[in-house]
Amino acid sequence: MKIAIGADHAGYELKELIKAHVTKMNFEVYDMGTCSTCSVDYPDFAETVASAVSQGLYDRGILICGTGIGMSIVANKFKNIRAALCNDLFTAKMSRLHNDANILCMGSRIIGSGLAIEIVNTWLTTPFEGERHGRRVEKINLIERKVIDK
Ligand code: RB5
């Protein structure tokens, strides 16, 4: 699985930890910035990661900002993106089982690094359940097409 990861200045340090962890899990990780704690704008990094996942260049994305909210708002503007803001384990698990989320957003100012790593482990290893949830995800895709055509 190929994973794109990005963060703003608030998420930079957690991104570095997650990147090292996910690399150790033997996933292919591509870091799309930011590269320091200098102030930047989260939409720029959400756009880079979400656009790459939307185009199929990466299977999944991970985005980190202070709360995860800004990243999730931006990422969900992109076609084929189901970005889930998960600052707890249950949400991370359900976002995969029921929503087939392909981008994980987290808030570095909300959760500690230990919990963040557990969230990533759960999110990367939980499969999509399909069946009735597949029908619902397909309805999301239909809505996306209708909105784009308007
Ligand atoms: C940056 O201060 C902060 O607004 C950003 O990291 C994020 O929390 C936005 O949603």
Side-chain angles (χ1 to χ4, degrees):
M1 197 194 293
K2 283 167 72 178
I3 301 167
I5 190 165
D8 70 355
H9 54 287
Y12 168 72
E13 283 171 2
L14 184 55
K15 168 175 70 69
E16 294 302 299
L17 279 177
I18 300 286
K19 187 173 66 177
H21 177 72
V22 173
T23 304
K24 260 196 235 151
M25 289 172 87
N26 283 326
F27 290 110
E28 198 180 316
V29 188
Y30 190 78
D31 187 350
M32 298 188 152
T34 188
C35 306
S36 75
T37 54
C38 292
S39 184
V40 290
D41 299 333
Y42 63 82
D44 297 332
F45 299 90
E47 180 182 10
T48 310
V49 168
S51 160
V53 176
S54 171
Q55 289 171 63
L57 302 174
Y58 295 90
D59 304 297
R60 302 270 190 93
I62 299 177
L63 285 166
I64 307 162
C65 64
T67 58
I69 296 171
M71 290 298 198
S72 59
I73 290 171
V74 177
N76 278 313
K77 304 279 181 205
F78 287 78
K79 196 169 173 259
N80 305 319
I81 295 302
R82 292 175 301 282
L85 172 54
C86 304
N87 286 320
D88 65 87
L89 285 170
F90 184 72
T91 312
K93 186 175 170 190
M94 297 313 288
S95 79
R96 288 292 313 135
L97 286 175
H98 287 193
N99 312 110
D100 199 16
N102 52 10
I103 293 191
L104 168 66
C105 303
M106 292 182 292
S108 62
R109 292 175 178 159
I110 312 277
I111 53 173
S113 54
L115 177 56
I117 283 172
E118 286 307 313
I119 288 172
V120 168
N121 286 346
T122 298
W123 191 76
L124 287 177
T125 57
T126 304
F128 179 47
E129 248 178 29
E131 300 191 2
R132 67 188 187 282
H133 303 295
R135 184 181 72 235
R136 290 161 189 168
V137 167
E138 191 44 43
K139 287 194 176 185
I140 296 175
N141 297 338
L142 288 173
I143 290 167
E144 193 170 68
R145 271 174 238 144
K146 273 197 264 177
V147 171
I148 288 168
D149 288 347
K150 268 188 189 169

